[in-house]
Amino acid sequence: STRKESSAASDVYKRQNGARIGRIRTYVKKVEAALNVGDKDAALAAMQIAEPEMARGAQLGVLHKNTAARKVSRLTARIKAL
């Protein structure tokens, strides 16, 4: 029935969104870990992975676009300050 199909699709999206949010959090943590140690090169490398992931998350609606922009801005400022 349509309800079962809708429910199945919802489960798929929920799993994909959860994985995407988890990936974003992981990449942001890697940037923050590099910042805490004071390793600018590692922070830049991690940021190059984290930024597009956050942008995709915002585009797909798992992260608000202003939240993504704020996170990118703050992390970039912290990297610049090293």
Side-chain angles (χ1 to χ4, degrees), residues 35 47 71-82:
L35 284 167
M47 189 64 183
K71 284 179 184 289
V72 168
S73 174
R74 287 179 181 172
L75 289 171
T76 305
R78 284 178 64 191
I79 291 170
K80 215 177 220 180
L82 281 181

Side-chain angles (χ1 to χ4, degrees), residues 18-36 41-57 63 71-72 75-76 78-79:
R20 189 173 305 281
I21 291 168
R23 245 192 336 272
I24 290 169
R25 285 186 185 143
T26 301
Y27 292 139
V28 169
K29 280 180 195 169
K30 284 182 181 178
V31 176
E32 287 176 342
L35 284 167
N36 291 337
D41 293 335
L44 278 170
M47 189 64 183
Q48 285 179 330
I49 299 168
E51 189 171 356
E53 198 65 45
M54 281 191 269
R56 268 194 300 274
L63 197 65
K71 284 179 184 289
V72 168
L75 289 171
T76 305
R78 284 178 64 191
I79 291 170

Side-chain angles (χ1 to χ4, degrees), residues 54-73:
M54 281 191 269
R56 268 194 300 274
Q59 200 172 19
L60 294 168
V62 296
L63 197 65
H64 193 278
K65 68 175 187 171
N66 290 358
T67 304
R70 186 179 64 245
K71 284 179 184 289
V72 168
S73 174

